[in-house]
Amino acid sequence: MQIDKVGIRLLIETCRRNQKSPSVAHKFITTAWGEDATSIQTVHKYYQKYSTSNKSDYSQFSDELRSGRPSTSTTTDNIEIIQQLLDKEKFLTIEQTCDVVNISFGSVYSIITEKLMKRSI
């Protein structure tokens, strides 16, 4: 069983509020969850963050929303084109579809599997 980032951060804050040192908190977490759970640097980083934070709610434990790069190839037009291609030719490979639509293999694969919910049989 793995522990997620929010769980680690909550454990770190719990240790900090119980006035445990960062090294004791790190030992506590790694004893329970293993060496891969978190590093001592991460524990120190969150001790610093939570000790200077004025927030007392749980939103400080989750990641900030990131804008990310918008997808330019998984447009509705490309989805419709790929749908039409697959309707005409059922045994079309992803590589052949890439050549026709002129987008990457990963984008075509994503459209076929995630948007059109098709799979290979």
Coordinates of all heavy atoms in Angstrom, one line a residue, residues 21-66:
S21 N 10.7 17.1 16.1 CA 11.7 17.6 15.2 C 11.5 17.0 13.8 O 10.9 16.0 13.7 CB 13.1 17.4 15.7 OG 13.4 16.0 15.6
P22 N 12.0 17.7 12.8 CA 11.9 17.2 11.4 C 12.5 15.8 11.3 O 12.0 14.9 10.6 CB 12.6 18.2 10.6 CG 12.5 19.5 11.3 CD 12.6 19.1 12.7
S23 N 13.7 15.6 12.0 CA 14.3 14.3 11.9 C 13.5 13.2 12.5 O 13.4 12.0 12.0 CB 15.7 14.3 12.4 OG 15.7 14.7 13.8
V24 N 12.8 13.5 13.6 CA 12.0 12.5 14.3 C 10.7 12.2 13.4 O 10.3 11.1 13.3 CB 11.6 13.0 15.7 CG1 10.5 12.1 16.3 CG2 12.8 13.1 16.6
A25 N 10.2 13.3 12.8 CA 9.1 13.1 11.9 C 9.4 12.2 10.7 O 8.7 11.3 10.3 CB 8.6 14.5 11.4
H26 N 10.6 12.5 10.1 CA 11.1 11.7 9.0 C 11.2 10.2 9.4 O 10.8 9.3 8.7 CB 12.4 12.2 8.5 CG 12.9 11.4 7.3 ND1 14.0 10.5 7.5 CD2 12.5 11.3 6.0 CE1 14.2 10.0 6.3 NE2 13.3 10.4 5.4
K27 N 11.8 10.0 10.6 CA 12.0 8.6 11.1 C 10.6 7.9 11.3 O 10.4 6.8 11.0 CB 12.8 8.6 12.3 CG 13.1 7.2 12.8 CD 14.1 7.2 14.0 CE 14.4 5.7 14.3 NZ 15.4 5.6 15.3
F28 N 9.7 8.7 11.9 CA 8.3 8.2 12.1 C 7.6 7.7 10.8 O 7.1 6.7 10.7 CB 7.5 9.3 12.8 CG 6.1 9.0 13.0 CD1 5.7 8.1 14.0 CD2 5.1 9.6 12.3 CE1 4.3 7.8 14.2 CE2 3.8 9.3 12.4 CZ 3.4 8.4 13.4
I29 N 7.7 8.6 9.8 CA 7.1 8.3 8.5 C 7.7 7.2 7.8 O 7.1 6.3 7.3 CB 7.0 9.6 7.6 CG1 6.1 10.7 8.3 CG2 6.6 9.3 6.2 CD1 6.3 12.1 7.7
T30 N 9.1 7.2 7.7 CA 9.8 6.1 7.0 C 9.7 4.8 7.7 O 9.7 3.7 7.1 CB 11.3 6.5 6.8 OG1 11.9 6.7 8.0 CG2 11.4 7.6 5.8
T31 N 9.5 4.8 9.0 CA 9.3 3.5 9.8 C 7.9 2.9 9.4 O 7.8 1.7 9.1 CB 9.4 3.7 11.3 OG1 10.6 4.2 11.6 CG2 9.1 2.4 12.0
A32 N 7.0 3.7 9.3 CA 5.6 3.3 8.9 C 5.4 3.0 7.5 O 4.8 2.0 7.1 CB 4.6 4.3 9.4
W33 N 6.0 3.8 6.6 CA 5.7 3.8 5.1 C 6.9 3.4 4.3 O 6.7 3.3 3.1 CB 5.1 5.1 4.7 CG 3.8 5.3 5.3 CD1 3.5 6.1 6.4 CD2 2.5 4.7 4.9 NE1 2.2 6.0 6.7 CE2 1.5 5.2 5.8 CE3 2.1 3.9 3.9 CZ2 0.2 4.8 5.7 CZ3 0.8 3.5 3.8 CH2 -0.2 4.0 4.7
G34 N 8.0 3.3 4.8 CA 9.2 2.9 4.0 C 10.0 4.0 3.6 O 9.6 5.2 3.7
E35 N 11.2 3.7 3.1 CA 12.2 4.8 2.7 C 11.7 5.6 1.5 O 12.1 6.8 1.3 CB 13.5 4.1 2.3 CG 14.2 3.5 3.5 CD 14.7 4.6 4.5 OE1 15.1 5.7 4.1 OE2 14.7 4.3 5.7
D36 N 10.8 5.1 0.7 CA 10.3 5.8 -0.5 C 9.2 6.8 -0.2 O 8.8 7.5 -1.1 CB 9.8 4.8 -1.6 CG 11.0 3.9 -2.1 OD1 12.1 4.4 -2.1 OD2 10.7 2.8 -2.5
A37 N 8.7 6.8 1.0 CA 7.6 7.7 1.4 C 8.0 9.2 1.2 O 7.2 9.9 0.6 CB 7.1 7.4 2.8
T38 N 9.1 9.6 1.8 CA 9.5 11.0 1.7 C 11.0 11.1 2.1 O 11.5 10.2 2.7 CB 8.6 11.9 2.6 OG1 8.9 13.2 2.3 CG2 8.8 11.6 4.1
S39 N 11.5 12.2 1.7 CA 12.9 12.5 2.0 C 13.0 13.4 3.2 O 12.0 14.1 3.5 CB 13.7 13.0 0.9 OG 13.2 14.3 0.6
I40 N 14.1 13.5 3.9 CA 14.3 14.4 5.0 C 14.2 15.9 4.5 O 13.7 16.7 5.2 CB 15.6 14.1 5.7 CG1 15.7 15.0 7.0 CG2 16.8 14.4 4.9 CD1 14.8 14.6 8.1
Q41 N 14.7 16.1 3.2 CA 14.6 17.5 2.7 C 13.1 17.9 2.5 O 12.8 19.0 2.8 CB 15.3 17.5 1.3 CG 16.8 17.4 1.4 CD 17.2 15.9 1.3 OE1 16.4 15.0 1.3 NE2 18.5 15.7 1.4
T42 N 12.3 16.9 2.1 CA 10.8 17.2 2.0 C 10.2 17.6 3.3 O 9.4 18.5 3.5 CB 10.1 16.1 1.3 OG1 10.7 15.8 0.1 CG2 8.6 16.3 1.2
V43 N 10.6 16.8 4.3 CA 10.1 17.1 5.7 C 10.5 18.5 6.2 O 9.7 19.2 6.6 CB 10.6 16.0 6.7 CG1 10.2 16.4 8.1 CG2 10.0 14.6 6.3
H44 N 11.7 18.8 5.9 CA 12.2 20.2 6.3 C 11.5 21.3 5.5 O 11.1 22.3 6.1 CB 13.7 20.3 6.1 CG 14.6 19.7 7.2 ND1 14.7 20.3 8.4 CD2 15.3 18.5 7.2 CE1 15.5 19.6 9.2 NE2 15.8 18.5 8.5
K45 N 11.3 21.0 4.3 CA 10.5 22.0 3.4 C 9.1 22.2 3.9 O 8.7 23.4 4.1 CB 10.5 21.5 2.0 CG 9.7 22.4 1.0 CD 9.7 21.9 -0.4 CE 8.6 21.0 -0.6 NZ 8.4 20.6 -2.0
Y46 N 8.4 21.2 4.3 CA 7.0 21.4 4.8 C 7.0 21.9 6.2 O 6.1 22.6 6.6 CB 6.2 20.1 4.6 CG 5.8 20.0 3.1 CD1 6.4 19.0 2.3 CD2 4.9 20.8 2.6 CE1 6.1 18.9 1.0 CE2 4.6 20.7 1.2 CZ 5.1 19.8 0.4 OH 4.8 19.7 -0.9
Y47 N 8.0 21.6 7.0 CA 8.1 22.2 8.4 C 8.1 23.7 8.2 O 7.5 24.4 8.9 CB 9.3 21.6 9.1 CG 8.9 20.6 10.1 CD1 8.5 19.3 9.7 CD2 9.0 20.8 11.5 CE1 8.2 18.3 10.7 CE2 8.7 19.9 12.4 CZ 8.3 18.6 12.0 OH 8.0 17.6 12.9
Q48 N 9.0 24.1 7.3 CA 9.2 25.6 7.1 C 7.9 26.2 6.5 O 7.5 27.2 7.0 CB 10.3 25.8 6.1 CG 10.6 27.2 5.7 CD 11.2 28.0 6.9 OE1 11.8 27.5 7.7 NE2 10.9 29.3 6.9
K49 N 7.3 25.5 5.6 CA 6.1 26.0 4.9 C 4.9 26.1 5.9 O 4.3 27.2 6.0 CB 5.7 25.1 3.8 CG 4.4 25.6 3.1 CD 4.0 24.6 1.9 CE 2.7 25.0 1.3 NZ 2.3 24.1 0.2
Y50 N 4.7 25.1 6.7 CA 3.6 25.1 7.6 C 3.8 26.0 8.9 O 2.9 26.5 9.4 CB 3.3 23.7 8.1 CG 2.8 22.8 6.9 CD1 3.1 21.4 6.9 CD2 2.1 23.3 5.9 CE1 2.7 20.6 5.8 CE2 1.7 22.5 4.8 CZ 2.0 21.2 4.8 OH 1.6 20.4 3.8
S51 N 5.1 26.2 9.2 CA 5.3 27.0 10.4 C 5.1 28.5 10.0 O 4.8 29.3 10.9 CB 6.7 26.8 11.0 OG 7.7 27.2 10.0
T52 N 5.3 28.9 8.8 CA 5.1 30.2 8.3 C 3.7 30.5 7.8 O 3.3 31.6 7.5 CB 6.1 30.6 7.3 OG1 6.0 29.8 6.2 CG2 7.5 30.6 7.8
S53 N 2.9 29.4 7.6 CA 1.6 29.6 7.0 C 0.6 30.0 8.1 O 0.6 29.6 9.2 CB 1.1 28.2 6.4 OG -0.2 28.3 6.0
N54 N -0.3 30.9 7.6 CA -1.4 31.4 8.5 C -2.7 30.5 8.4 O -3.6 30.7 9.1 CB -1.7 32.8 8.2 CG -0.6 33.8 8.6 OD1 0.2 33.5 9.5 ND2 -0.5 34.8 7.8
K55 N -2.7 29.6 7.4 CA -3.9 28.8 7.1 C -4.0 27.7 8.2 O -3.0 27.2 8.6 CB -3.8 28.2 5.8 CG -3.8 29.1 4.6 CD -3.7 28.4 3.3 CE -3.6 29.2 2.1 NZ -3.5 28.5 0.9
S56 N -5.2 27.4 8.6 CA -5.4 26.3 9.5 C -6.4 25.3 8.9 O -6.9 24.5 9.5 CB -6.0 26.8 10.8 OG -7.2 27.5 10.6
D57 N -6.6 25.4 7.5 CA -7.5 24.4 6.9 C -6.7 23.4 6.1 O -5.5 23.5 6.0 CB -8.5 25.2 6.0 CG -7.8 25.9 4.9 OD1 -7.3 27.0 5.1 OD2 -7.7 25.4 3.8
Y58 N -7.5 22.4 5.6 CA -6.8 21.3 4.9 C -6.4 21.6 3.5 O -5.7 20.8 2.9 CB -7.7 20.1 4.9 CG -7.9 19.5 6.3 CD1 -9.1 19.6 7.0 CD2 -6.8 18.8 6.9 CE1 -9.2 19.0 8.2 CE2 -7.0 18.3 8.2 CZ -8.2 18.4 8.8 OH -8.3 17.8 10.1
S59 N -6.8 22.8 2.9 CA -6.4 23.1 1.6 C -4.9 23.2 1.4 O -4.4 23.1 0.3 CB -7.1 24.3 1.1 OG -6.7 25.5 1.8
Q60 N -4.2 23.5 2.5 CA -2.7 23.7 2.4 C -2.0 22.3 2.1 O -0.9 22.3 1.7 CB -2.2 24.3 3.6 CG -2.3 23.5 4.9 CD -1.8 24.2 6.1 OE1 -1.3 25.3 6.0 NE2 -2.0 23.6 7.2
F61 N -2.7 21.2 2.3 CA -2.1 19.9 2.1 C -2.2 19.4 0.6 O -1.4 18.6 0.2 CB -2.7 18.9 3.0 CG -2.5 19.2 4.5 CD1 -3.6 19.5 5.2 CD2 -1.3 19.3 5.0 CE1 -3.5 19.9 6.6 CE2 -1.1 19.7 6.3 CZ -2.2 19.9 7.1
S62 N -3.1 20.0 -0.1 CA -3.2 19.5 -1.5 C -2.4 20.4 -2.4 O -2.0 21.5 -2.1 CB -4.7 19.6 -2.0 OG -5.2 20.9 -1.8
D63 N -2.1 19.9 -3.6 CA -1.3 20.6 -4.6 C -2.0 21.8 -5.2 O -3.3 21.8 -5.3 CB -0.9 19.7 -5.8 CG 0.2 18.8 -5.4 OD1 1.0 19.1 -4.5 OD2 0.3 17.7 -6.0
E64 N -1.3 22.8 -5.6 CA -1.9 24.0 -6.2 C -2.4 23.5 -7.6 O -1.7 22.7 -8.3 CB -0.9 25.1 -6.4 CG -0.4 25.6 -5.0 CD -1.3 26.6 -4.4 OE1 -2.0 27.3 -5.1 OE2 -1.3 26.6 -3.1
L65 N -3.4 24.1 -8.1 CA -3.8 23.9 -9.5 C -2.8 24.5 -10.5 O -2.3 25.6 -10.2 CB -5.2 24.5 -9.8 CG -6.3 23.8 -9.1 CD1 -7.6 24.5 -9.4 CD2 -6.5 22.3 -9.5
R66 N -2.5 23.7 -11.5 CA -1.5 24.2 -12.5 C -2.2 24.3 -13.8 O -3.1 23.5 -14.2 CB -0.4 23.2 -12.6 CG 0.4 23.1 -11.3 CD 1.5 22.1 -11.5 NE 2.1 21.8 -10.1 CZ 2.2 20.6 -9.7 NH1 1.9 19.6 -10.4 NH2 2.7 20.4 -8.5

